[in-house]
Amino acid sequence: MTTPPSKPSLRAELRRARRGLPPAQAAAEAAGTVAALDAWLATWPAPPVIASYLAVPGELDLAELHAREWAAGRPVWLPAVRGLDLDWHPVAALDQVRPGAFALCEPDPGRISAATLPAQAVVLVPGVGYGRDGRRLGQGGGFYDRFLATHAGPAIGIGFACQRRDDLPLDPHDHPVAGVLLGGAWVLAP
């Protein structure tokens, strides 16, 4: 019987895979992901509230989606780490963010206050790995797991195709996502 891989070893493996992507492939997968999100969001009767993330090196970048939302006059809700939780801020432009916890760019509380994220907001969730059943392997801090435990709206895992791993461990505190979009293709449709 084989011992399943540990979360730390899976994180290391999947981070290496992300870092190994040629820049042109990473850009193409990001563009494909934004196109797939655009097509899915177009099926909604009205544009939903979007909660997203600002990519760190190695993460799939959704800047094109953010720019379009801002150009349409809609804020993109972005998280800021506050203690053990995420606070959400309705950001209207990129100049409202600054370096924050864990060297992440996050909303500048001096420019945009935290507010209650609408209950049915579509949350685009970064991660290190995803399974076809919605399992998500995060960075290890549990911030999104704690948030997803109480969020009622759809949560969509976002990443590169190389981040798919169907043997991810699932602990009692882990919260799967409703949809998984990797490299521009739906692995799990919401």
Side-chain angles (χ1 to χ4, degrees):
M1 181 182 203
T2 327
T3 304
S6 69
K7 285 185 175 183
S9 67
L10 283 169
R11 282 188 186 97
E13 175 188 330
L14 292 166
R15 285 177 179 141
R16 273 192 305 276
R18 284 190 324 194
R19 284 191 306 269
L21 286 175
Q25 181 181 348
E29 289 192 27
T33 297
V34 170
L37 282 169
D38 284 343
W40 179 65
L41 294 170
T43 67
W44 288 61
V49 171
I50 302 291
S52 189
Y53 63 93
L54 296 173
V56 298
E59 286 182 332
L60 192 137
D61 195 345
L62 296 173
E64 182 184 334
L65 176 73
H66 301 161
R68 275 207 297 278
E69 287 294 301
W70 291 329
R74 294 185 293 268
V76 174
W77 289 70
L78 297 172
V81 174
R82 295 294 175 258
L84 295 176
D85 296 312
L86 297 176
D87 281 348
W88 292 91
H89 301 251
V91 174
L94 197 54
D95 66 358
Q96 294 178 334
V97 301
R98 62 160 176 78
F102 306 107
L104 301 171
C105 277
E106 60 184 28
D108 182 346
R111 303 208 55 208
I112 187 78
S113 297
T116 301
L117 182 67
Q120 292 303 315
V122 173
V123 181
L124 306 176
V125 183
V128 179
Y130 294 96
R132 68 175 171 250
D133 60 358
R135 291 180 192 212
R136 175 183 167 274
L137 180 65
Q139 299 290 351
F143 296 99
Y144 275 94
D145 287 316
R146 284 185 290 279
F147 167 71
L148 292 174
T150 62
H151 183 65
I156 309 300
I158 301 292
F160 295 108
C162 66
Q163 293 178 250
R164 179 166 175 188
R165 215 28 219 267
D166 291 329
D167 62 346
L168 295 176
L170 187 65
D171 293 327
H173 64 271
D174 292 331
H175 286 273
V177 290
V180 177
L181 180 56
L182 301 179
W186 289 101
V187 174
L188 174 63

